[in-house]
Amino acid sequence: MSAHTASDTTGERGKDTPAVVIDSVAKHFAEVHALRGFSAEIRYGRLTGLVGPDGAGKTTLMRIMTGLLVPNGGSVTLAGLDVVKDNDAIHIVSGYMPQRFGLYEDLSVMENMRLYAQLRGMNADQHTDIFESLLEFTRLGPFTKRLAGKLSGGMKQKLGLACALMARPEVLLLDEPGVGVDPVSRQDLWRMVQELTDEGMAVVWSTAYLDEAERCESVLLLNEGKLEFDGPPQELTDRIKQRSFRLTGVSDERRAVLSRALDLGTVGDGVIQGDAVRVVLRDGAGREEIDALADEAGAKLEPVQPRFEDAFIDLLGGGPGGTSALADRMDVVELDSDIAVSCKNLTKRFGDFTATDSVSFEVSRGEIFGLLGPNGAGKSTTFKMLCGLLKPTEGEAHVVGHDLRRATGAAKSQLGYMAQKFSLYGLLTVRQNLEFSAGVYGLEGAVKRERIDEMIETFDLKQYLTTSPDSLPLGFKQRLALACSLMHRPPVLFLDEPTSGVDPITRREFWTHINGLARKGVTVMVTTHFMDEAEYCDRVALMYRAKLIALDTPDALKHTSRSDKHPDPTMEDAFIHLVESADMEDEARADARAAA
């Protein structure tokens, strides 16, 4: 038996055997009801997705299943054990990987694994075979001496998975393991989880990525603590057959067309898909309004296959409208030059390590420019140099005409920056963070009060004004961070993974604002691991191993990866194809050098 398989008894159970039975579970925190009489079954040998908007109760349910929280009502049995009465045993038969990285960043990969073995009651010196098997399984063998804090996002998740599998659990609970992980690393996680379920383990995968949920055998969809759907993803997707359409031929006006479509009463959801706009009609709605919009825009309206994400948004009542109140309040941005951001041979070294290697590009006024790449590719380092937060080792960068080597202060006043990791002040309240940000950007008096009130209203922050940002739901943390970065209405906005971990409805709200800002001439630079979000960008630059390996429109990048296997490739297909092609070119050059 391999080190990562479940216990001997698990493999003998069929997929119809319940691994977890949740019976009328309720949980509240003061006045907040996280779960309201929730009932479901999770089975062995199956990957079960746990999805829902922010605050739906997903993490609360996970913690109850692991015995970390006690329900106020109802019961949960896991592998035949009551999670309250048999609490000590639950930690032996279950593995749990929490939403936030729960490992010790100042310990190495192997030291973390040994520590988790000891916490599981295992003698680390007597289980070297388990370590070897887990290292091979997660492909972490070459990195055993590296500090956990120095790992990329994807490698951290693999280490967390290895530690969760240490005691050969019968049930594995993964709370949003794909957050902040690039498509290549996510493929590795999927490969590992598929092997585990094939061997009979019950795996629960909580996720905000609906393409991940679509790959699960069964999905539990929560909303406001209640179970809204339980079954195969395709069953939910089939509910919206013949309601998904694509408007083509609108490339130059796609943001305006999307905004108009989302404001139609008959349209429940819509997104930009490269040079086209994808919309979903509400249940029972006719086509008259969307046909009229297509005619006015000179677009072709064609039916497309529905996606699980379409059905998810539809079940929850549809997404936000297409109008950004934030963008509506802004004046059109006027610049002296059509180029808002540029860099030439931008390079950053940390000792012997090159984080960004001779990167060059230009971004036009009002352009949405996406910077993609695997974890550790150099995206955030490039961002920080363009924001004046890091000094380049070589090369030059300009923002709104200001040379960042000489006029860092002037450049910073022209840009807004939302960091990858939540970077506001936990010791200040939400209101105090807004006031501090307004003051930093030089806002005073009536203008300062007006802008703060605008942000409170636009991002629905009123109920949290006296709360610390640390205790906010993730979606509201991101709203607050975006509000603070936009307080001074900058002509250039840098967003470093702004929607990482937030639910699809909140992501749509963010992109409504981003699209509205771009239409007002704001230049937006964004990094993201959501490949569907890359479709919103006018152009996408792909970084890999510190270098820029591709730069083009989303549709053009997808076209490069077209093949018999992928006749209609997604952005994820394109991403993986380009990274694999870069690896093959590197190998070919290495072989040529060796031959010479």
Side-chain angles (χ1 to χ4, degrees):
M1 179 176 62
S2 64
H4 53 271
T5 55
S7 66
D8 293 330
T9 56
T10 306
E12 300 169 4
R13 296 164 174 155
K15 286 192 174 184
D16 290 331
T17 306
V20 183
V21 178
I22 305 162
D23 185 14
S24 303
V25 166
K27 182 64 182 179
H28 60 80
F29 303 93
E31 301 300 317
V32 178
H33 290 267
L35 294 171
R36 305 166 184 261
F38 184 94
S39 297
E41 290 187 353
I42 294 163
R43 302 186 180 277
Y44 286 107
R46 182 180 295 179
L47 176 60
T48 300
L50 191 61
V51 299
D54 290 330
K58 302 186 297 295
T59 297
T60 299
L61 180 61
M62 281 275 195
R63 290 176 177 170
I64 288 174
M65 286 192 284
T66 60
L68 297 175
L69 284 177
V70 176
N72 298 114
S75 64
V76 176
T77 57
L78 184 147
L81 301 169
D82 187 288
V83 296
V84 177
K85 297 175 183 175
D86 306 310
N87 191 272
D88 289 342
I90 289 296
H91 303 302
I92 302 300
V93 297
S94 67
Y96 176 49
M97 185 173 157
Q99 189 173 358
R100 293 182 179 179
F101 186 58
L103 303 171
Y104 294 88
E105 300 208 352
D106 55 348
L107 297 182
S108 69
V109 167
M110 181 56 77
E111 288 168 340
N112 267 287
M113 291 178 66
R114 290 178 67 88
L115 174 61
Y116 269 73
Q118 292 167 3
L119 292 173
R120 290 291 192 129
M122 299 165 59
N123 186 323
D125 295 327
Q126 295 177 4
H127 291 88
T128 55
D129 58 327
I130 291 179
F131 291 134
E132 289 174 6
S133 181
L134 285 170
L135 289 169
E136 180 182 357
F137 181 56
T138 56
R139 299 177 181 171
L140 288 172
F143 310 102
T144 54
K145 295 182 180 179
R146 184 175 296 184
L147 294 180
K150 300 295 184 182
L151 297 176
S152 69
M155 291 171 70
K156 284 182 179 181
Q157 297 299 74
K158 292 176 188 177
L159 176 56
L161 182 59
C163 292
L165 291 170
M166 191 63 68
R168 303 173 179 172
E170 296 185 35
V171 179
L172 180 63
L173 304 167
L174 307 175
D175 196 357
E176 303 205 15
V179 168
V181 176
D182 67 78
V184 175
S185 297
R186 278 207 288 159
Q187 273 203 327
D188 267 352
L189 288 173
W190 277 109
R191 170 190 60 81
M192 291 184 276
V193 167
Q194 188 63 59
E195 286 187 35
L196 297 170
T197 55
D198 287 348
E199 293 166 350
M201 188 181 292
V203 180
V204 180
W205 182 301
S206 170
T207 181
Y209 296 79
L210 294 186
D211 61 326
E212 290 183 347
E214 200 162 17
R215 296 171 68 170
C216 297
E217 290 183 70
S218 184
V219 165
L220 302 175
L221 198 160
L222 284 72
N223 187 35
E224 296 181 348
K226 298 176 183 177
L227 183 64
E228 297 284 354
F229 175 78
D230 180 0
Q234 190 61 45
E235 184 181 312
L236 183 62
T237 304
D238 287 344
R239 294 184 185 181
I240 61 163
K241 277 184 176 178
Q242 301 175 336
R243 286 201 274 142
S244 293
F245 296 88
R246 183 165 54 205
L247 290 138
T248 59
V250 294
S251 57
D252 293 337
E253 295 295 326
R254 61 195 186 282
R255 293 193 183 101
V257 170
L258 174 64
S259 177
R260 291 175 62 189
L262 289 174
D263 286 337
L264 296 176
T266 53
V267 173
D269 186 32
V271 295
I272 286 174
Q273 199 169 28
D275 284 342
V277 171
R278 183 188 180 95
V279 296
V280 180
L281 300 185
R282 295 189 184 276
D283 190 18
R287 285 184 47 168
E288 295 81 8
E289 286 189 329
I290 196 66
D291 279 330
L293 175 58
D295 288 341
E296 289 175 30
K300 179 182 177 183
L301 185 70
E302 57 188 22
V304 291
Q305 286 297 316
R307 304 177 303 185
F308 180 73
E309 181 161 325
D310 300 337
F312 174 96
I313 301 293
D314 181 72
L315 182 66
L316 298 180
T323 301
S324 166
L326 181 68
D328 278 356
R329 292 188 174 107
M330 290 188 64
D331 295 327
V332 174
V333 171
E334 300 289 350
L335 300 178
D336 293 335
S337 168
D338 288 336
I339 303 301
V341 179
S342 66
C343 59
K344 185 176 181 181
N345 299 325
L346 201 60
T347 300
K348 182 62 181 178
R349 299 188 190 93
F350 299 94
D352 295 331
F353 175 69
T354 301
T356 300
D357 190 358
S358 196
V359 169
S360 302
F361 55 75
E362 292 182 338
V363 185
S364 301
R365 183 189 73 88
E367 183 176 9
I368 299 180
F369 188 90
L371 197 58
L372 308 184
N375 297 109
K379 304 184 300 296
S380 293
T381 301
T382 302
F383 250 44
K384 288 174 182 175
M385 285 190 285
L386 291 172
C387 292
L389 299 175
L390 274 179
K391 185 178 180 180
T393 306
E394 295 174 8
E396 58 186 70
H398 294 81
V399 173
V400 196
H402 298 291
D403 189 332
L404 285 169
R405 294 171 299 181
R406 303 182 183 88
T408 304
K412 284 181 180 178
S413 69
Q414 296 294 303
L415 60 87
Y417 174 60
M418 182 174 167
Q420 183 177 359
K421 293 184 178 179
F422 188 68
S423 58
L424 300 175
Y425 297 93
L427 296 178
L428 302 180
T429 65
V430 167
R431 179 180 284 280
Q432 288 168 339
N433 268 281
L434 291 169
E435 290 173 346
F436 177 78
S437 295
V440 165
Y441 288 119
L443 302 181
E444 297 177 338
V447 173
K448 177 178 178 180
R449 291 193 298 272
E450 179 183 312
R451 297 283 175 84
I452 290 173
D453 289 343
E454 283 180 6
M455 294 303 174
I456 291 169
E457 180 184 349
T458 300
F459 293 103
D460 195 23
L461 297 172
K462 187 174 182 179
Q463 60 184 316
Y464 296 113
L465 290 178
T466 59
T467 305
S468 164
D470 292 340
S471 60
L472 291 176
L474 179 58
F476 280 94
K477 282 185 180 180
Q478 300 298 79
R479 285 186 178 103
L480 176 59
L482 183 59
C484 289
S485 68
L486 287 168
M487 189 73 67
H488 56 308
R489 296 182 177 172
V492 177
L493 183 61
F494 288 84
L495 304 175
D496 199 357
E497 295 191 30
T499 59
S500 181
V502 303
D503 66 79
I505 291 178
T506 304
R507 283 166 48 209
R508 277 161 171 69
E509 175 194 324
F510 269 49
W511 279 99
T512 294
H513 293 309
I514 293 168
N515 285 329
L517 292 168
R519 291 176 65 196
K520 284 295 184 76
V522 175
T523 303
V524 182
M525 293 195 61
V526 60
T527 70
T528 181
H529 285 312
F530 287 98
M531 292 298 101
D532 59 327
E533 288 189 349
E535 301 266 17
Y536 282 94
C537 299
D538 295 293
R539 288 185 301 152
V540 168
L542 179 60
M543 292 188 68
Y544 183 47
R545 294 179 176 171
K547 293 180 178 292
L548 198 63
I549 64 169
L551 173 57
D552 215 325
T553 65
D555 282 349
L557 292 177
K558 286 186 289 185
H559 183 77
T560 62
S561 64
R562 190 172 294 166
S563 64
D564 292 340
K565 183 179 179 182
H566 298 294
D568 186 20
T570 63
M571 273 302 297
E572 181 154 326
D573 296 330
F575 182 105
I576 293 168
H577 168 77
L578 289 164
V579 168
E580 289 177 345
S581 296
D583 281 336
M584 291 172 63
E585 289 174 7
D586 285 346
E587 289 174 11
R589 281 193 289 268
D591 290 342
R593 285 194 298 269

